[in-house]
Amino acid sequence: MQRSLENVRVLDFTRVLAGPYCTMLLADMGAEVIKIERPGAGDDTRHFGPFQNGESGYFVYLNRGKKSMALDLKNPHAITAIKELVKESDVVVENFRPGVMKKLGLDYESLKELNPSIIYTSISGFGQYGPYSQRPAYDLVAQAMGGMTSITGHPDDPPTRSGASLGDMSAALYAVYGIMVALFHRERTGEGQLIDVAMTDSIFALLENNVMRYTVDRIVPERIGSRHPISSPFDIFQAQDGHVVIAVANESLFEKLAEVMNQPELIKDKRFCLDSLRTKNETELKAIIETWLSGYTVAEAVEMISKGGIPCSPILTIRDVCEDEHTKAREMLIQVDHPMAGKMKIPGNPVKLSQTPAIIKEASPILGEHTGQVLKDVLKWDWKRLQDLEEQEV
Amino acid sequence: MQRSLENVRVLDFTRVLAGPYCTMLLADMGAEVIKIERPGAGDDTRHFGPFQNGESGYFVYLNRGKKSMALDLKNPHAITAIKELVKESDVVVENFRPGVMKKLGLDYESLKELNPSIIYTSISGFGQYGPYSQRPAYDLVAQAMGGMTSITGHPDDPPTRSGASLGDMSAALYAVYGIMVALFHRERTGEGQLIDVAMTDSIFALLENNVMRYTVDRIVPERIGSRHPISSPFDIFQAQDGHVVIAVANESLFEKLAEVMNQPELIKDKRFCLDSLRTKNETELKAIIETWLSGYTVAEAVEMISKGGIPCSPILTIRDVCEDEHTKAREMLIQVDHPMAGKMKIPGNPVKLSQTPAIIKEASPILGEHTGQVLKDVLKWDWKRLQDLEEQEV
């Protein structure tokens, strides 16, 4: 099977989540990702749970299909080796705090002297420039400073974090788009470049129409729970044993719903006879729907409502979605076999390419597993030189 | 200025959000995106608020830098023109319900006969195959069926939607990564392909470690508000006039916080002297911190806590983030000038490329603005033929 990023070599200095997820997306498509890790401890996520036979599932998932070199960035010999590797690489990715790579002599200005066509990618909390660029950022900070938490949650609740690390994940996605754009450009022109992606910018970029409502109408969007801002009933509702989504955005769907509920009087009710009125009186309408739903389980309600031609769905827990037939059919959970951890199920790649599909077979590397091999294969360094380096590493 | 996707032509059949955001990311980088719209009404988002001089800000933002052709897909002449355009295009993107493009004779199998190197991209709620592929999906359904709403929100709340349309936005991001990977592959081999991206898969792919906690440890992650699952105090806290993020993930930061709070006794308190104990007793600790914070405004608290060396931030509203100096410095709000709407501020592109930056200058097209021009420039169709087509359109 051909792989689209065959012969693309990525030198990967990233740690934890945003950077490793970005380079994972490159590895899935066949890039040779060489992960540079601290000797001894390695990437922090090697020590984050959940563990299986002492190996981190979090690390296995994010670092599948990569190579690991254990190199101490404080060791000048290691820096020499890295600079030689840069000459043989296509892409560099790092997610240190701005300034760290410069102190190591590994900033873009230094590395492009060695390889002018290198594509150098920095992922950080607030970016490489701008007034906050030196601030530390965790995902929670990026979600809060990017505007997302202010609009997530129920009206009476405090601002709410999204359940997953959107700051990291979105920065990774924007970065991989940037890297692919730069690789395409380089293929046509030979030119390399610097890419700067910030977690807060990435969160801001996800806000979509919330930004336009402010810049055009000066409305400051607030937390409205799960409901639709201008249609009702379009929300999450409580049934006997859980919650269901009902998505009614026009008059004909509302008529169908009233029929399913066996309450045709709702259609002519002055409070509910138009979408705009339903939205205005949405609290009352929600109470009526939930009273009706209290007589049914989620499964019963979803079947009845769907049968009536109204968009409706259950709310899947993480277990539900992992065990779902559709998730399996879409190959969204893939089994890998790790030499120490054993078999593990990890999330698949959501991009289904017909000719050059993502291939996820190899688990993550053991720390330093490929230090010698990469030096030998890529740099043709002889054993003596390799040993000198390794001694320094210890 | 060179643009990375110069000479890449995209035939864009997408409507509303996921598809248009995907092709917007291509247009930002210089691709010629030709948007095919229904004569008369055009893309639904032309009729979504906010409006400025009757023009939708939502549409202007998502369709900047694109061309618009008004073509009726039920008109065989229009289909003929589209098929001719496919021969001259590099990428097709569509987000109809699976099966619609086939009915129109515009599915991948048909179009690759005309142009074997075409990259054909389908974005849908549940994907082109799998048991749920025919179900309709709104963003709320994708967030619910992808597992995200089950882990977003506070423990006593129902499942909660993220404040922005993550199902659409993430599918757009995964799709543009797929398109760029396919374009890169085609550049090297000449081979085209089919790309299938589902909103629910994309949401699932964002869940990160929540999936591993289930597949490895059989833990079903639940809603825990904004707090960190294994560190405390790492959460959003109420101050006098709003909320602040405080991010303490180790003993030394907690000591610093206790000093800033002038409550050094907390350090030795048996309930709080270790991160694991603080997490166990996090409700009590949160109450103590919020009692302290009740004496300070957000601005005062953030200054004091940051000065103490502890990661801390305010929660920005959409207005705050739009007006923030950092947002401006990062060019995350760009002004465009629309011939009818006038000047509008729209979100920028978060990927900062040094050599081929995103260029966002042109506003969105008027419906059908480029129908004649594209036919003439790309297909060299003469006026007569153009007129025949236009008559059919009416």
Side-chain angles (χ1 to χ4, degrees):
Chain A
M1 180 80 75
Q2 268 186 315
R3 307 195 66 184
S4 19
L5 302 187
E6 236 164 57
N7 303 317
V8 172
R9 182 174 291 139
V10 179
L11 217 53
D12 180 5
F13 295 90
T14 68
R15 298 100 9 84
V16 192
L17 181 53
Y21 191 69
C22 170
T23 59
M24 183 202 94
L25 293 171
L26 298 171
D28 278 3
M29 297 301 174
E32 182 192 16
V33 175
I34 301 171
K35 185 176 177 83
I36 313 290
E37 296 185 79
R38 273 180 305 169
D43 189 338
D44 286 346
T45 50
R46 288 189 182 271
H47 312 285
F48 289 2
F51 298 103
Q52 186 169 301
N53 299 331
E55 297 291 316
S56 161
Y58 194 30
F59 184 85
V60 169
Y61 143 55
L62 289 168
N63 295 285
R64 65 213 195 187
K66 301 180 188 175
K67 293 178 176 170
S68 168
M69 290 183 85
L71 290 175
D72 179 358
L73 299 180
K74 287 179 189 135
N75 179 331
H77 291 270
I79 297 292
T80 304
I82 285 166
K83 288 185 170 173
E84 290 303 311
L85 285 171
V86 167
K87 294 182 191 167
E88 308 298 329
S89 296
D90 303 285
V91 177
V92 164
V93 189
E94 63 93 9
N95 66 341
F96 288 107
R97 187 105 61 101
V100 170
M101 286 294 267
K102 194 175 169 73
K103 273 187 203 146
L104 296 168
L106 299 174
D107 55 318
Y108 177 59
E109 296 305 315
S110 306
L111 298 192
K112 82 170 179 187
E113 297 297 319
L114 305 171
N115 180 354
S117 70
I118 197 80
I119 293 166
Y120 188 105
T121 314
S122 293
I123 303 173
S124 59
F126 291 95
Q128 303 298 306
Y129 61 87
Y132 307 154
S133 66
Q134 290 305 311
R135 290 194 192 176
Y138 299 87
D139 178 72
L140 182 58
V141 171
Q143 290 197 31
M145 294 284 287
M148 189 67 85
T149 61
S150 78
I151 54 170
T152 299
H154 294 270
D156 300 331
D157 280 339
T160 308
R161 178 181 179 272
S162 283
S165 298
L166 291 189
D168 291 274
M169 301 303 275
S170 61
L173 279 164
Y174 282 110
V176 79
Y177 146 67
I179 290 168
M180 288 312 308
V181 162
L183 273 170
F184 183 79
H185 175 70
R186 198 188 67 162
E187 202 67 14
R188 291 194 162 178
T189 65
E191 187 178 53
Q193 56 186 312
L194 174 66
I195 304 173
D196 168 15
V197 174
M199 284 163 62
T200 40
D201 292 353
S202 300
I203 288 289
F204 182 77
L206 291 181
L207 299 174
E208 37 96 12
N209 210 24
N210 292 291
V211 173
M212 298 311 300
R213 292 179 67 202
Y214 176 71
T215 64
V216 173
D217 278 348
R218 299 286 142 180
I219 289 167
V220 183
E222 294 180 345
R223 293 183 288 287
I224 57 169
S226 300
R227 72 172 174 85
H228 196 283
I230 56 169
S231 283
S232 293
F234 197 118
D235 200 349
I236 291 176
F237 299 87
Q238 174 81 51
Q240 221 172 60
D241 60 343
H243 295 86
V244 294
V245 170
I246 301 175
V248 167
N250 61 47
E251 307 313 321
S252 111
L253 284 173
F254 185 64
E255 285 171 26
K256 286 181 184 172
L257 180 65
E259 277 163 37
V260 169
M261 291 171 68
N262 202 19
Q263 300 186 34
E265 65 279 12
L266 292 176
I267 301 168
K268 303 236 163 123
D269 192 309
K270 278 183 192 160
R271 296 167 299 171
F272 310 130
C273 58
L274 281 174
D275 196 10
S276 54
L277 293 169
R278 289 194 295 274
T279 302
K280 199 180 148 200
N281 300 305
E282 113 19 81
T283 313
E284 281 166 272
L285 182 56
K286 189 166 189 170
I288 293 170
I289 293 172
E290 293 193 329
T291 301
W292 172 68
L293 283 172
S294 68
Y296 301 97
T297 64
V298 170
E300 288 164 354
V302 169
E303 198 189 327
M304 246 186 332
I305 300 169
S306 302
K307 213 179 251 173
I310 303 133
C312 177
S313 82
I315 317 289
L316 302 191
T317 64
I318 301 300
R319 174 175 51 219
D320 293 338
V321 64
C322 285
E323 300 295 343
D324 198 277
E325 285 307 313
H326 192 73
T327 305
K328 284 173 199 165
R330 300 289 298 171
E331 296 182 295
M332 287 309 297
L333 271 182
I334 308 270
Q335 186 164 280
V336 290
D337 199 352
H338 187 279
M340 272 125 97
K343 291 191 169 104
M344 239 183 223
K345 278 197 178 153
I346 62 175
N349 190 305
V351 178
K352 311 300 178 187
L353 291 150
S354 65
Q355 298 308 108
T356 59
I359 298 178
I360 301 162
K361 274 192 178 157
E362 288 170 64
S364 59
I366 308 300
L367 178 59
E369 184 178 342
H370 307 89
T371 314
Q373 185 209 314
V374 170
L375 290 173
K376 215 189 276 178
D377 291 357
V378 183
L379 298 187
K380 320 286 176 216
W381 279 21
D382 62 21
W383 183 238
K384 181 72 186 71
R385 188 127 179 219
L386 185 65
Q387 274 187 314
D388 289 349
L389 182 71
E390 281 175 347
E391 274 163 28
Q392 297 282 348
E393 268 175 52
V394 177
Chain B
M1 181 79 75
Q2 269 186 313
R3 307 196 66 184
S4 19
L5 302 187
E6 237 164 56
N7 304 316
V8 173
R9 182 174 291 139
V10 180
L11 218 52
D12 179 6
F13 295 89
T14 68
R15 299 98 8 84
V16 192
L17 182 52
Y21 190 69
C22 169
T23 59
M24 183 202 95
L25 294 172
L26 298 171
D28 279 2
M29 298 301 176
E32 182 190 16
V33 176
I34 301 171
K35 185 176 177 82
I36 313 290
E37 296 184 79
R38 273 181 305 169
D43 188 339
D44 287 344
T45 50
R46 289 189 181 271
H47 313 284
F48 288 2
F51 298 103
Q52 186 169 301
N53 299 331
E55 297 291 316
S56 161
Y58 194 32
F59 184 84
V60 169
Y61 142 57
L62 289 168
N63 295 284
R64 65 212 193 186
K66 300 180 188 175
K67 293 177 177 169
S68 168
M69 291 182 84
L71 291 175
D72 179 0
L73 299 180
K74 287 179 189 136
N75 179 331
H77 292 268
I79 298 292
T80 305
I82 285 166
K83 287 186 170 172
E84 290 303 310
L85 285 171
V86 167
K87 293 181 191 168
E88 308 298 328
S89 296
D90 304 285
V91 177
V92 163
V93 190
E94 64 92 8
N95 66 340
F96 288 105
R97 187 102 64 99
V100 170
M101 287 293 268
K102 193 174 169 74
K103 273 186 203 147
L104 296 168
L106 298 175
D107 56 316
Y108 177 58
E109 296 304 315
S110 306
L111 298 191
K112 82 170 177 187
E113 296 297 319
L114 305 171
N115 179 355
S117 71
I118 199 79
I119 293 165
Y120 188 105
T121 315
S122 292
I123 302 173
S124 59
F126 292 95
Q128 303 297 307
Y129 60 88
Y132 306 154
S133 66
Q134 290 305 313
R135 291 194 190 177
Y138 299 88
D139 178 73
L140 182 58
V141 171
Q143 291 196 31
M145 294 285 288
M148 189 68 84
T149 62
S150 78
I151 54 169
T152 299
H154 294 270
D156 299 333
D157 281 338
T160 308
R161 177 179 180 271
S162 283
S165 298
L166 290 189
D168 290 275
M169 300 302 275
S170 62
L173 279 163
Y174 282 110
V176 78
Y177 145 68
I179 290 168
M180 289 311 308
V181 162
L183 273 170
F184 183 79
H185 175 71
R186 199 188 66 162
E187 201 67 14
R188 291 194 162 177
T189 64
E191 187 178 52
Q193 57 185 313
L194 175 66
I195 305 173
D196 168 16
V197 174
M199 284 164 62
T200 38
D201 291 354
S202 300
I203 288 288
F204 182 76
L206 292 180
L207 299 175
E208 36 97 11
N209 210 25
N210 292 291
V211 173
M212 297 311 300
R213 292 179 67 203
Y214 175 70
T215 64
V216 173
D217 277 348
R218 298 287 142 179
I219 288 167
V220 183
E222 294 181 343
R223 294 183 287 289
I224 56 168
S226 300
R227 73 173 175 83
H228 196 284
I230 56 167
S231 283
S232 294
F234 197 118
D235 201 348
I236 291 177
F237 299 87
Q238 175 82 50
Q240 222 172 60
D241 60 343
H243 295 86
V244 293
V245 170
I246 302 175
V248 167
N250 61 47
E251 307 313 321
S252 113
L253 283 174
F254 185 64
E255 286 172 24
K256 286 181 185 174
L257 179 66
E259 277 164 36
V260 169
M261 290 170 69
N262 203 19
Q263 299 185 36
E265 67 277 11
L266 292 176
I267 301 168
K268 303 235 161 124
D269 192 310
K270 277 183 192 162
R271 296 167 299 169
F272 309 131
C273 59
L274 280 174
D275 196 11
S276 55
L277 293 168
R278 290 193 295 274
T279 302
K280 200 180 149 200
N281 300 305
E282 92 54 58
T283 313
E284 283 166 271
L285 182 57
K286 188 166 189 170
I288 292 170
I289 292 172
E290 293 193 329
T291 301
W292 172 68
L293 283 173
S294 68
Y296 300 97
T297 65
V298 169
E300 287 164 354
V302 168
E303 198 189 328
M304 246 186 333
I305 300 169
S306 301
K307 212 178 251 174
I310 302 133
C312 177
S313 83
I315 316 290
L316 301 191
T317 64
I318 302 300
R319 175 175 47 219
D320 294 338
V321 64
C322 286
E323 300 295 342
D324 198 277
E325 285 307 313
H326 192 73
T327 306
K328 285 173 197 164
R330 299 289 299 171
E331 295 183 294
M332 286 309 296
L333 270 182
I334 307 270
Q335 186 163 280
V336 290
D337 199 351
H338 187 278
M340 273 126 96
K343 292 191 168 104
M344 238 183 224
K345 279 196 178 153
I346 62 176
N349 190 305
V351 179
K352 311 301 177 186
L353 290 151
S354 64
Q355 298 308 108
T356 59
I359 298 179
I360 302 162
K361 273 191 179 157
E362 287 170 63
S364 59
I366 309 299
L367 177 59
E369 184 178 342
H370 306 89
T371 313
Q373 185 209 314
V374 169
L375 289 174
K376 215 189 277 177
D377 291 357
V378 181
L379 297 188
K380 320 288 178 215
W381 279 22
D382 62 21
W383 184 236
K384 180 74 186 67
R385 188 126 180 220
L386 185 64
Q387 274 187 317
D388 289 349
L389 182 71
E390 281 174 347
E391 273 163 28
Q392 297 282 350
E393 269 173 52
V394 176

